[in-house]
């Protein structure tokens, strides 16, 4: 399979089923439930909610960079929220009709891992609120 690059130069080549299974084996049962089965962690419980360090939030399954800490804001919802991804091509949007609502689910563009949902009530400049599960993310401090 040939490599597919995002505008920011990251490899978006989809993981094979075998690669996904190998990586998922390293996840906790809760991380697997959320990333692989579109689960949601309870509000105000995620380990990255109050993180204030400078760095980048990556997909927990495939390590694709997703959100920079500079775009994180306190939405008051109980989940880490961001107004803009590192690269729009790193996020896949799907219409979600679960729980009697119509929402926009967001998934990792490389591994299809469930990240959370995006809503049109965020701050400028995008007006978007990407509401994520901490269990879907790994945070990496920016090296100075």
């Amino acid at each position: 399979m040939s490599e597919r690059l995002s505008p920011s130069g990251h490899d978006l080549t989809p993981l094979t089923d075998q690669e996904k299974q190998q990586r998922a084996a390293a996840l906790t049962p809760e991380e697997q439930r959320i990333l692989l089965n579109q689960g949601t962690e309870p509000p105000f419980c995620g380990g990255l909610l109050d993180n204030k360090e400078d760095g980048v939030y990556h997909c927990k399954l495939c390590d694709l960079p997703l959100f920079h800490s500079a775009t994180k804001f306190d939405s008051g919802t109980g989940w880490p929220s961001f107004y803009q991804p590192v690269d729009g091509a790193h996020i896949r949007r799907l219409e979600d009709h679960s729980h009697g609502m119509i929402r926009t689910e967001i998934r990792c563009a490389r591994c299809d891992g469930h990240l959370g949902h995006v809503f049109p009530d965020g701050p400028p400049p995008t007006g978007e609120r990407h509401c994520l599960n901490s269990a879907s993310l790994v945070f990496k401090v920016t090296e100075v």
Side-chain angles (χ1 to χ4, degrees), residues 28 30-31 34 40-53 57 60 72 78-82 132-140:
T28 67
E30 178 71 350
E31 291 165 347
I34 291 168
T40 300
E41 65 195 7
F44 302 102
C45 293
L48 296 174
L49 178 62
D50 296 322
N51 183 33
K52 306 275 191 250
E53 293 183 87
Y57 295 82
K60 187 102 175 205
K72 188 175 188 228
W79 291 278
S81 297
F82 303 83
L132 289 109
N133 292 290
S134 290
S136 297
L137 305 171
V138 63
F139 178 74
K140 297 186 179 183

Side-chain angles (χ1 to χ4, degrees), residues 58-120:
H58 292 243
C59 175
K60 187 102 175 205
L61 186 60
C62 75
D63 201 37
L64 184 67
L66 300 171
F67 295 91
H68 192 279
S69 60
T71 67
K72 188 175 188 228
F73 68 99
D74 183 0
S75 65
T77 62
W79 291 278
S81 297
F82 303 83
Y83 62 80
Q84 181 177 322
V86 165
D87 184 320
H90 294 193
I91 304 293
R92 204 164 76 90
R93 296 171 184 236
L94 297 105
E95 197 168 282
D96 176 5
H97 293 268
S98 65
H99 307 291
M101 299 178 267
I102 299 175
R103 302 178 291 174
T104 302
E105 177 188 359
I106 51 176
R107 293 190 189 184
C108 175
R110 180 165 49 204
C111 69
D112 204 38
H114 173 72
L115 304 171
H117 292 84
V118 62
F119 302 94

